[in-house]
Amino acid sequence: MAVQRTFSIIKPDAVAKNVIGEITSRFEKAGLRVVASKMVQLSEREAGGFYAEHKERPFYGDLVSFMTSGPVIVQVLEGEDAIAKNRELMGATNPKEAAAGTIRADFAESIDENAVHGSDSEAAAAREIAFFFSSTELCDRIR
Ligand code: IDP
């Protein structure tokens, strides 16, 4: 299995709940390593651009206002099969359907406030990492 990088957001609901460390700890325990991390307050323009693929969906406006409602932690995670591994740790989009023990089952309240984002493909990971991080903010070869 190849070493990959994936992009993660700890969303405003989880930051407000003070579970940044608990969520990051799940990444680490699963063998993923944080290679970039920062707290940011997204503007409407940034949140809207990040979720542009959902522009026509009925929940787009609510999603943008939720994502700008408070600070988020954006991270790049690295490890074997990182994209799929992170999606597995996150659980289903709707926390009510998320498997027991997943981040969304344990920390999220609803489909629109669901604690975390994670890239769903290599193309998405590359686009999303570049959206938030410059190359000098990504740490290589942490051993
Ligand atoms: P994902 O975050 O599990 O990859 P996506 O389908 O890419 O799910 O949706 C992006 C985000 O949009 C979700 O995490 C959730 O916050 C929000 N969302 C998706 N579907 C709905 C919905 O039906 N109602 C409200 N919000 C939704």
Side-chain angles (χ1 to χ4, degrees), residues 19-109:
V19 291
I20 296 167
E22 285 192 58
I23 291 175
T24 304
S25 172
R26 292 190 182 203
F27 300 147
E28 293 175 342
K29 286 188 177 124
L32 299 177
R33 187 179 281 279
V34 176
V35 296
S37 183
K38 58 190 175 186
M39 180 177 270
V40 291
Q41 169 67 54
L42 298 181
S43 65
E44 272 192 32
R45 191 189 166 96
E46 286 163 334
F50 182 77
Y51 280 117
E53 68 180 292
H54 294 304
K55 208 169 182 121
E56 307 308 325
R57 309 283 286 278
F59 56 81
Y60 179 73
D62 286 344
L63 177 59
V64 170
S65 52
F66 165 59
M67 291 301 291
T68 56
S69 66
V72 298
I73 302 289
V74 291
Q75 293 179 317
V76 179
L77 308 175
E78 186 179 88
E80 296 277 317
D81 207 15
I83 295 168
K85 197 176 271 180
N86 184 36
R87 296 288 298 185
E88 206 179 303
L89 293 171
M90 289 163 57
T93 308
N94 185 347
K96 292 178 178 59
E97 292 163 10
T102 59
I103 293 169
R104 283 168 166 167
D106 291 344
F107 299 116
E109 303 303 328

Side-chain angles (χ1 to χ4, degrees), residues 105-124:
D106 291 344
F107 299 116
E109 303 303 328
S110 66
I111 191 167
D112 40 323
E113 301 202 358
N114 61 3
V116 280
H117 165 85
S119 310
D120 62 4
S121 66
E122 285 192 39

